[in-house]
């Protein structure tokens, strides 16, 4: 997390809502030889956030017992040229949105796997403009074979932190000038999102 409080103004509730809306992150735990990271989709349940991992992955071995963990959920990001501020003595920087979810991750019983997969797919299918895909479309034998390869898990979230870096530490005119220049540069969807938020930032 960025140490500047200007970039830490979002509430824990807003940060968690952003993370759940994204539904995809990088989970990190300490392994025997150093940090282990898995990139995975997740969804919310009352006890925390649930996801699954591949059984033969290093992450599965690291989670033989409950472990402290960090889930990093990234949003849009963009390079900011110092020329765009209209101020002297600026340097290049990067604006971005990210949330960290800390807690303890544990594996769940096999009996929870099907329900997890139903909730996970439903949480993303409901965002689409079509009839939702459901687990019942899979032949039972094929589904059982695939389910044997994955392990359900739960991250019990104990701390939520976020950074929303939009140039809030700059004068308003400089921030707006940089946002407009970023829009004009045509750097892609992520930069367009950051630029739009820079133009709206307090």
């Amino acid at each position: 997390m960025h140490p500047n409080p200007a970039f830490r103004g979002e509430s824990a509730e807003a940060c968690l809502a952003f993370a759940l809306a994204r539904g995809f992150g990088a989970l990190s735990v300490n392994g025997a030889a150093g940090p282990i990271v898995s990139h995975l989709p997740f969804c919310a349940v009352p006890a925390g956030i649930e996801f699954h991992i591949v059984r033969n992955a290093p992450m599965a071995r690291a989670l033989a017992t409950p472990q402290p963990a960090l889930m990093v959920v990234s949003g849009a990001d963009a390079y900011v040229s110092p020329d765009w501020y209209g101020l002297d003595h600026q340097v290049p920087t990067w604006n971005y949105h990210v949330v960290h979810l800390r807690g303890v991750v544990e594996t769940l019983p096999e009996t929870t796997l099907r329900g997890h997969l139903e909730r996970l797919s439903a949480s993303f299918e409901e965002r689409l403009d079509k009839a939702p895909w459901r687990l019942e479309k899979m032949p039972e034998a094929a589904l059982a074979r695939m389910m044997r390869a994955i392990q359900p898990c739960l991250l019990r979230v104990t701390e939520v932190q976020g950074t929303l870096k939009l140039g809030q530490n700059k004068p308003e005119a400089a921030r707006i000038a940089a946002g407009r220049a970023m829009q004009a540069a045509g750097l892609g969807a992520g930069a367009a999102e950051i630029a739009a938020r820079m133009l709206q930032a307090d």
Side-chain angles (χ1 to χ4, degrees), residues 72-200:
V72 178
V73 183
S74 296
D77 63 86
Y79 172 75
V80 186
S81 172
D83 294 332
W84 293 345
Y85 291 117
L87 301 173
D88 292 333
H89 312 301
Q90 301 300 303
V91 295
T93 189
W94 209 271
N95 283 355
Y96 61 93
H97 192 188
V98 67
V99 166
H100 288 183
L101 307 176
R102 292 186 182 275
V104 175
V105 64
E106 61 192 60
T107 58
L108 295 174
E110 301 307 309
T111 53
T112 67
L113 181 55
R114 188 180 185 110
H116 156 66
L117 294 175
E118 290 172 344
R119 288 186 292 273
L120 184 65
S121 61
S123 71
F124 293 104
E125 285 288 323
E126 67 185 13
R127 308 179 190 193
L128 306 178
D129 185 21
K130 69 177 188 69
W133 179 91
R134 298 186 185 280
L135 224 56
E136 292 77 10
K137 291 189 174 184
M138 286 286 292
E140 282 297 324
L143 179 60
R145 183 174 63 253
M146 291 182 176
M147 287 173 60
R148 285 194 292 272
I150 57 177
Q151 170 70 53
C153 299
L154 175 72
L155 175 63
R156 298 188 184 275
V157 179
T158 58
E159 183 180 12
V160 180
Q161 292 185 320
T163 291
L164 180 57
K165 185 173 180 288
L166 301 172
Q168 302 98 317
N169 60 332
K170 304 291 184 185
E172 180 181 12
R175 189 194 71 241
I176 290 173
R180 288 176 176 162
M182 188 182 294
Q183 285 181 325
L187 299 177
E193 180 179 337
I194 289 292
R197 299 187 75 170
M198 289 172 67
L199 297 177
Q200 298 170 355

Side-chain angles (χ1 to χ4, degrees), residues 4-58:
N4 191 329
F7 309 138
R8 303 282 296 278
E10 285 195 306
S11 66
E13 291 78 13
C15 290
L16 183 59
F18 163 78
L20 295 178
R22 281 284 290 131
F24 188 84
L27 180 76
S28 177
V29 301
N30 289 325
I36 298 173
V37 178
S38 288
H39 302 265
L40 42 85
F42 59 83
C43 63
V45 292
I49 58 174
E50 63 176 5
F51 55 93
H52 59 270
I53 55 176
V54 178
R55 286 187 180 278
N56 63 359

